[in-house]
Amino acid sequence: MKVVTTAAELRQEVALQKAAGRVIGFVPTMGALHSGHVSLVDKSLNDNCFTVSSIFVNPTQFNDKNDLKNYPRMPEKDIALLEERGVNLVFTPSVAEIYPEEDSRIFDFGSIDKVMEGAKRPGHFNGVAQVVSKLFDIVQPDKAYFGEKDFQQIAIIKDMVKQLKLKVEIIPCPIVRDSDGLALSSRNMLLNPAQRNSAPLIYRALSNAQKQERSTSISALNQMVVHEINADNELDVEYFDIVDADTLQSVSSWDESSNIYGCIAVKVGAIRLIDNIRLK
Ligand code: AMP
């Protein structure tokens, strides 16, 4: 496995592979890798002849400076894990390599980034689009893999690919969870023992919501989930939105859409966790 730090080296390496007719799969990450990331890597390895993964903590998508400062970083361990899985090429650029000058591009995602994470983390998805478009430009992947844990991010990236008329196919991958149901996240390692103990309630409440009869109204279900999670002193629901999976806009009745998701963000002390579940 090769590890490269510059865009020029990466372009050269990928060009060689493309010339040999190899199909390129790409898994962008911010590192501190866990089994969720590994599931994306394994899918890419299975689908493509050549898999590239990147480790880059992108400053432009952090609206909270402390979150950026505290974000876990362990590149050596990550690289060893990627090598063990059989990844072909890892890209670990510096901030200056990705942003030799400030990226002033402003994307317009219409209504899909005005809700949920977009509303609570101003500028977040613009930063995501900046970095992912730059990485796509450098890697030129045929397929790119993203986790459904970041449900809204997938919608944003699909929209960006459409706007920029890119050829890459976006492959959504299912959420990987710990044995107690907590969605794996690099931020989980920042939780103290009491917080970690409480966090699985997020998925329990979502699962309970999924089991409710359709006679329960959307608003009653919403209140039920918020109430159940907020009853735990360690947890504070920031939003719970029951939305149409394509438009990401809230629905007020079960008949409004055939594909309905519940998307949640919960504050656990200074840490924010997100999760989602299909409700219809
Ligand atoms: P991150 O390193 O947090 O930027 O995540 C890199 C990729 O891994 C994104 O596409 C995430 O959606 C995905 N990912 C993170 N956590 C999980 C998980 N628990 N299950 C599946 N995919 C995940």
Side-chain angles (χ1 to χ4, degrees):
M1 184 182 80
K2 268 199 180 170
V3 182
V4 299
T5 57
T6 67
E9 288 170 288
L10 191 116
R11 283 185 197 278
Q12 198 178 18
E13 202 53 51
V14 169
L16 282 175
Q17 301 304 328
K18 290 209 165 193
R22 301 211 169 92
V23 176
I24 312 289
F26 178 44
V27 182
T29 82
M30 297 204 299
L33 303 181
H34 50 65
S35 306
H37 298 110
V38 170
S39 73
L40 272 49
V41 163
D42 286 351
K43 175 123 180 71
S44 176
L45 286 166
N46 189 56
D47 292 356
N48 305 283
C49 317
F50 194 85
T51 290
V52 180
S53 186
S54 60
I55 302 171
F56 179 64
V57 182
N58 172 41
T60 73
Q61 73 188 69
F62 283 81
N63 56 315
D64 173 350
K65 283 203 182 81
N66 270 329
D67 188 25
L68 174 61
K69 196 179 96 203
N70 296 331
Y71 200 83
R73 289 165 169 89
M74 48 196 72
E76 290 84 14
K77 196 169 163 222
D78 291 341
I79 289 167
L81 177 61
L82 295 174
E83 175 145 42
E84 188 192 304
R85 298 316 289 188
V87 166
N88 302 97
L89 183 61
V90 177
F91 184 39
T92 57
S94 64
V95 173
E97 184 67 21
I98 297 294
Y99 300 107
E101 63 243 15
E102 198 187 326
D103 191 340
S104 54
R105 289 175 299 161
I106 304 286
F107 290 82
D108 181 1
F109 293 114
S111 52
I112 58 172
D113 81 340
K114 308 266 184 312
V115 295
M116 304 193 287
E117 293 302 285
K120 297 292 180 191
R121 301 182 68 188
H124 169 65
F125 286 126
N126 201 63
V128 168
Q130 288 177 340
V131 74
V132 175
S133 61
K134 277 177 179 271
L135 290 169
F136 281 178
D137 181 56
I138 298 167
V139 179
Q140 296 286 320
D142 297 286
K143 295 183 181 177
Y145 297 80
F146 292 88
E148 283 174 343
K149 184 172 85 73
D150 299 279
F151 193 74
Q152 194 172 7
Q153 173 169 275
I154 293 182
I156 294 283
I157 288 169
K158 282 185 172 168
D159 199 75
M160 181 200 81
V161 163
K162 215 158 131 191
Q163 286 186 32
L164 301 178
K165 300 189 171 65
L166 306 180
K167 284 203 209 83
V168 57
E169 185 184 351
I170 302 303
I171 316 282
C173 302
I175 301 177
V176 177
R177 301 180 178 280
D178 234 328
S179 53
D180 57 14
L182 178 64
L184 293 183
S185 162
S186 304
R187 291 184 176 89
N188 291 355
M189 65 180 75
L190 304 174
L191 300 171
N192 69 31
Q195 292 169 334
R196 178 64 189 79
N197 201 35
S198 292
L201 179 57
I202 300 168
Y203 181 60
R204 278 208 303 282
L206 294 180
S207 300
N208 288 341
Q210 197 182 41
K211 287 184 212 122
Q212 287 295 309
E213 303 287 335
R214 284 292 144 70
S215 53
T216 312
S217 70
I218 296 271
S219 64
L221 195 72
N222 195 316
Q223 279 175 32
M224 200 187 87
V225 168
V226 173
H227 195 75
E228 195 175 345
I229 296 175
N230 282 345
D232 188 303
N233 282 338
E234 302 285 351
L235 308 178
D236 183 16
V237 175
E238 190 173 68
Y239 66 79
F240 176 54
D241 284 6
I242 300 179
V243 302
D244 172 87
D246 296 319
T247 65
L248 302 185
Q249 306 308 299
S250 291
V251 295
S252 48
S253 88
W254 294 109
D255 304 330
E256 253 174 69
S257 164
S258 56
N259 194 1
I260 295 178
Y261 273 71
C263 299
I264 196 161
V266 179
K267 294 273 280 229
V268 194
I271 299 144
R272 268 178 104 250
L273 300 178
I274 59 170
D275 201 346
N276 64 79
I277 199 164
R278 185 164 183 179
L279 295 172
K280 181 186 172 189

